[in-house]
Amino acid sequence: MTDLRIQPVHGDPMLEQWRHVHNVIVPPAAMSLEEARERLVRYRLENAYVGDVLVGCSTVRPPRGEGAVATVIARVLPEFRRRGFGAALYENGLAHARGLGAGAVETCVLAVNEDGLRFAGRRGFVEVDRYVLDGELDEWVDLRLESGDGH
């Protein structure tokens, strides 16, 4: 795998890059810069680069609730998939979530994103819920990590 650099998002230029990847991968949940700023306050957002080329991003939502459930989402632009970048983003996010004390890990994938569902399944995630948000048409899949280590 080509050298991949994963960096926490800081500043509007990096946040715009994170938002670009997010909006390409999950267009039904496309967000404005202001919405992305709000996420940056609550979650750990990271971008992945090969050299200066943006290839993906990730989100780690900190543990919450009785089971200390964290959410780890890795996104890779379609033209950069199947090169190990998603795995590196995921492993980095998983380590961060576990460092925050996560007792369980979940992810969320747009149901039409077959690559994302396969990726999650290969890492031990199993489907726990499918739903359509009120007033919307797109189906989402929540998955929970069932294996012990997520590899």
Side-chain angles (χ1 to χ4, degrees):
M1 176 174 68
T2 310
D3 290 332
L4 182 70
R5 178 173 44 94
I6 300 172
Q7 291 188 285
V9 170
H10 59 83
D12 280 354
M14 285 185 79
L15 190 57
E16 279 286 7
Q17 292 176 329
W18 179 91
R19 187 174 77 95
H20 168 75
V21 175
H22 175 277
N23 291 352
V24 166
I25 305 303
V26 285
M31 65 178 68
S32 68
L33 180 58
E34 195 54 44
E35 290 168 320
R37 282 187 187 121
E38 191 273 330
R39 295 238 177 143
L40 184 57
V41 171
R42 294 185 295 142
Y43 307 143
R44 181 174 181 88
L45 308 181
E46 295 183 323
N47 288 340
Y49 305 90
V50 173
D52 292 330
V53 177
L54 177 69
V55 300
C57 75
S58 65
T59 301
V60 177
R61 298 177 190 158
R64 60 176 165 57
E66 186 176 312
V69 180
T71 301
V72 176
I73 303 169
R75 301 174 199 89
V76 175
L77 293 168
E79 61 269 30
F80 296 105
R81 291 182 181 163
R82 294 174 188 79
R83 300 186 201 177
F85 302 144
L89 271 166
Y90 165 71
E91 291 295 332
N92 191 65
L94 183 64
H96 184 74
R98 294 253 163 86
L100 293 173
V105 175
E106 293 182 345
T107 196
C108 181
V109 180
L110 191 58
V112 297
N113 181 353
E114 294 177 5
D115 285 344
L117 290 171
R118 274 192 301 276
F119 178 88
R122 285 194 308 269
R123 277 150 190 83
F125 284 85
V126 297
E127 182 176 329
V128 294
D129 194 18
R130 278 186 184 249
Y131 54 92
V132 175
L133 297 172
D134 288 344
E136 298 192 11
L137 301 173
D138 298 288
E139 186 175 45
W140 296 89
V141 182
D142 285 346
L143 303 109
R144 182 172 278 224
L145 186 59
E146 291 294 320
S147 66
D149 64 2
H151 293 93

